[in-house]
Amino acid sequence: MQIDHKQLFIPGPTEVLPDVLEAMAQPLIGHRTKEISALQQSITEKLQQLFYTKNLVLLSTSSGSGLMEASVRSCTAKKALCCAMGDFGKRWYKMALANQVPADLIEVDLGRHVPAEKIREALATGKYDLVTTTHSETATGVANNLEEISRVMADFPDVVWCVDAVSSAGGMKIEVDRLGIDILLTSTHKALALPPGMALCTMSQKAYDRTAEVEYRGVYFDLRAIYDRIVKKNYQYPSTPNVSLMFAMDRQLDHILAEGLDARFARHQALADRCRAWALDHFALFPEEGYMADTLTVIENTRGISVADLNKALGDRGKAISNGYGDLKEKTFRIAHLGEITMDDLNALLADIEDILGL
Ligand SMILES: *Cc1c(COP(=O)(O)O)cnc(C)c1O
């Protein structure tokens, strides 16, 4: 890609292909027209391929957090079990409490995954009817193992399973139907490589049926209302969606499918392998072995460099990485290699970092 701007190696927003950006500049269409129905249907069918699912796909004109709040509120009738391995996982718990949804929190140390057996133990109490899990925790670079968790969830068929895949979906393979994920949600501006402004989720029949048992689902983020409208009104929405971003999404999904899903996931894996090997040569990796996200690498600042200064120097060279998240600021730094980032892009970034730090 020809770069004439600051290139983003941060976990969203990320690089967007020029023709995808241009797709947003086309004239608008009404949100109660045959054209928008066709557009939404096209997007849905492509997302169903990307997520290996037959479930309906819901778009939301909000960032991903909107659908996190929507899912825990719309689909918990009894009590939610929120499994956190960092701030993004905890956000779901805070949202539950702020909406008066009864919830408990399972927390693990930063840098660790949530063991599936911990989830099993909690579910065995029979107290919960919904579980929230993070796939890739963007604060720590840890990826939970969805295969392991899915085997636990299979033993609790009445529990709705929600997965936050905001920083992994589109960069790591997630087979929604085979794993039995009821709600898989993500934002547009991470591994899908679109501008920010929308979120999307898959929703199973089980999750939909659950909403009937929940009295106060709100209005804007009522997943049942959105689902019903899509089904009854041929892929339309209760309120006006971000039509421009939908044009871009349709275009970008063509790019994703043209690259080939396996090729796309393999590219992310190769970028992660390269970045981890580099990190081990010069620093250390923050996440525990065997549970690392392929979309970003969180590096422990073992040399005590100033991450802020490094990023400033990178900025002069037209690149940006991310400092550590929250309490991990300056103790770690994050290199995101997701969406449309290529191996050449990553190599150029790592060469710049070596040059700046004199490695
Ligand atoms: C970025 C992120 C979010 C929040 O997404 P927004 O689109 O900014 O609301 C939630 N979870 C994870 C894992 C993320 O990386």
Side-chain angles (χ1 to χ4, degrees), residues 11 63-66 68 88 91 134 136-138 164-167 187 189-190 198:
S63 76
S65 302
M68 290 171 73
F88 288 104
R91 183 178 289 185
T134 314
S136 152
E137 171 55 66
T138 318
D164 167 356
V166 175
S167 64
S187 309
H189 60 282
K190 298 202 181 172
M198 285 191 104

